Amino acid sequence: MKTTTRVAKVSAATCTAFTLLLTSCIYNRQSAIDPAGPQSGRIDTLWWSFFWLLGAIFLIVMVLTAMTLTRQHRGFEQEPLEALHKASEKTEARLRSVITGATIVSIVILFVLIVASTVTGKANSELQNKKNPLTIQVTGTQWWWQIEYKMGDPTRSLVTANEIHIPVGRPIQIRGASNDVIHSFWVPNLNGKRDLIPSRITTEWLEADHPGAYRGQCAEFCGLQHAHMALWVIAEPEDKFNAWLEAQLQPAASPRTPEEIKGEQVFMNHACIYCHAIEGTPAAGQSGPDLTHFGSRRGIAANTLPNTMGNLAGWILDPQTIKPGNHMATIEVSSGDLQPLLEYLESLK
Amino acid sequence: MKLTTVRNASGLAICFVVIACQRQHQDIRPSPTQLAIYGDAAKEDALRPGGPVSPQPTVNNPYNASAYDISEGQRLYNWYNCSGCHANGGGGIGPPLIKQHWIYGGEPANIFDTIVKGRPNGMPAWGGRIPEYQVWEIVAYIRSMNGEQPRSATASRADMIQPSPQTLVNRTNDQTK
């Protein structure tokens, strides 16, 4: 009686844990089982078929175990196994058939799972044969992402950071590179992951089914701030994407208000320009993220914080508290210079 | 006898721990404030800057003996394109940084002044442009090229496949010993 209660308690707890786990997966945006593209759709199907099949096996095994543990003694008719040291013909035959059956079932299940995985992998690699792909180079750097759109024509090449815009329904070729250590590109709702390896180009393909913003992050431990190395993939209809692209290809907006004009001077007279570039100005540093259209981006510090003026002030004055160990220099900005600098940077739409 | 061995061993262990702590020390919240020493760390003679005998520096490099500072210096050396003129220490457009004779003095404060003030014939003045703590980190790296940093803090091998000046210097030092 006591055993039954305990079994009931344990199974209830397991069920609750599973439900919590699943709901947290389903309602979280950044998730491989919330697919937004044909490839992640296939991965999702595969994941759920694994889940139901293996979950069923787990349950059957657990039920059988519970039955064995709680089974009553059958009485004196039972064969005295221990005395004979040899099972009877009948028991021997039953044992043999059970083992044979279990082995066959296991082999069949493993075969089915292997075939399912291979078919999914093959189907996912078919994307590279689709016409009209868009190539985007993603370079992992401690601890942010450099994004380059290579359009063939050098005047239409675009460099940005931590945010990828893609047109819906068009295959995207991600060319992965790294500037320092091994990173890994993973946008769970779309596809991945693929390691970014120094002095080597790796390729990943993805496609979005419907518009939306999908969060991705580095999936290979890459140092102190690995956890704060996120990016957004924003899927838009083709015309909206083209409008975005045209806007991004323009040089930076010139400052209009007196505050913004002062802010530009502050930027150009501080250490900012040694690492950051702003198209159309003398700032041409290549070590940090390109800031040409900084104001249009969602986050700062590789999406550690939302891009607001307050967060930006904190980030400029004391980057090492927000993201300890990162490579943004701690510089001295006087109180009178800070507000113009913030207004200038946020005006770079 | 036994007691002495134990004492020696524990003394040695403590030494190792202390060295390890210093080697790995990271000042990840440096002060951005520019101190008054900007541009006159070495208190040089205006007529003969840097030498003939290096003037006694009054300021010591606060970023001297940590592996983290040296590696940060190495990163900044490339980020700020010091390598554009000085290559990986062998020199090119600018003079080599691996050497016995320094035109403007080889003490940390002298190198600091050289970076901050600039020098005639091409060395730009970086004072007021890059934060002071980064200048000191670059000084630490430049001195490590010459094997002038503690061996405990210097990398035993370079990141690159090619032997770096740093490892070359260490190797020649080993051979002369």
Side-chain angles (χ1 to χ4, degrees), chain A residues 4-259:
Chain A
T4 339
T5 338
R6 201 186 297 152
V7 168
K9 260 188 190 166
V10 168
S11 48
T14 318
C15 278
T16 323
F18 260 107
T19 321
L20 281 177
L21 196 70
L22 288 180
T23 42
S24 70
C25 289
I26 289 165
Y27 295 111
N28 190 352
R29 285 301 299 175
Q30 186 189 328
S31 164
I33 49 175
D34 181 13
Q39 293 170 300
S40 50
R42 281 185 214 105
I43 293 170
D44 178 66
T45 316
L46 186 70
W47 196 92
W48 281 111
S49 35
F50 266 65
F51 177 80
W52 290 121
L53 184 62
L54 302 182
I57 293 171
F58 176 75
L59 276 185
I60 291 169
V61 171
M62 283 300 118
V63 167
L64 287 179
T65 313
M67 274 167 66
T68 323
L69 286 174
T70 54
R71 196 167 71 165
Q72 294 295 314
H73 196 270
R74 265 188 278 166
F76 293 109
E77 306 94 82
Q78 204 173 10
E79 301 157 31
L81 273 181
E82 295 85 351
L84 277 170
H85 288 291
K86 193 170 173 272
S88 72
E89 283 290 308
K90 199 176 140 206
T91 317
E92 196 74 52
R94 273 176 71 186
L95 211 60
R96 206 177 295 126
S97 64
V98 165
I99 290 175
T100 317
T103 311
I104 291 171
V105 169
S106 303
I107 290 173
V108 167
I109 289 171
L110 282 177
F111 183 73
V112 166
L113 293 181
I114 289 169
V115 168
S117 306
T118 317
V119 166
T120 307
K122 281 233 167 207
N124 270 0
S125 65
E126 280 301 298
L127 188 62
Q128 53 187 292
N129 301 327
K130 252 180 97 170
K131 275 183 193 147
N132 194 21
L134 175 70
T135 303
I136 301 171
Q137 175 146 345
V138 175
T139 309
T141 302
Q142 284 175 326
W143 288 276
W144 59 282
W145 308 86
Q146 187 180 49
I147 315 293
E148 282 169 83
Y149 287 74
K150 306 226 161 166
M151 317 299 267
D153 177 1
T155 59
R156 290 180 58 78
S157 281
L158 167 65
V159 180
T160 178
N162 305 322
E163 200 169 299
I164 304 177
H165 286 244
I166 59 169
V168 167
R170 204 168 142 191
I172 312 293
Q173 184 196 33
I174 301 286
R175 284 166 60 83
S178 169
N179 272 341
D180 32 49
V181 298
I182 300 178
H183 301 276
S184 189
F185 174 85
W186 192 24
V187 186
N189 304 62
L190 294 174
N191 197 11
K193 50 204 172 215
R194 182 70 63 191
D195 280 6
L196 312 179
I197 297 165
S199 68
R200 215 183 125 169
I201 301 283
T202 50
T203 314
E204 180 65 293
W205 289 82
L206 49 88
E207 188 183 318
D209 271 340
H210 42 267
Y214 309 109
R215 194 173 181 273
Q217 67 184 110
C218 183
E220 178 72 46
F221 180 69
C222 59
L224 273 180
Q225 288 303 327
H226 161 67
H228 290 145
M229 184 172 165
L231 80 162
W232 283 100
V233 174
I234 294 162
E236 297 166 320
E238 188 87 35
D239 54 329
K240 245 184 120 180
F241 167 76
N242 286 332
W244 174 85
L245 189 65
E246 290 307 320
Q248 296 281 315
L249 284 168
Q250 299 303 314
S254 356
R256 284 174 304 268
T257 67
E259 282 277 279

Side-chain angles (χ1 to χ4, degrees), chain A residues 271 274 318 320-321 329-330, chain B residues 28-29 75 79 129 133-134:
Chain A
Y274 293 117
D318 195 3
Q320 298 301 337
T321 294
T330 311
Chain B
I28 56 170
R29 285 201 63 197
R75 180 174 64 74
W79 274 29
R129 301 198 170 271
Y133 72 91
Q134 293 193 336

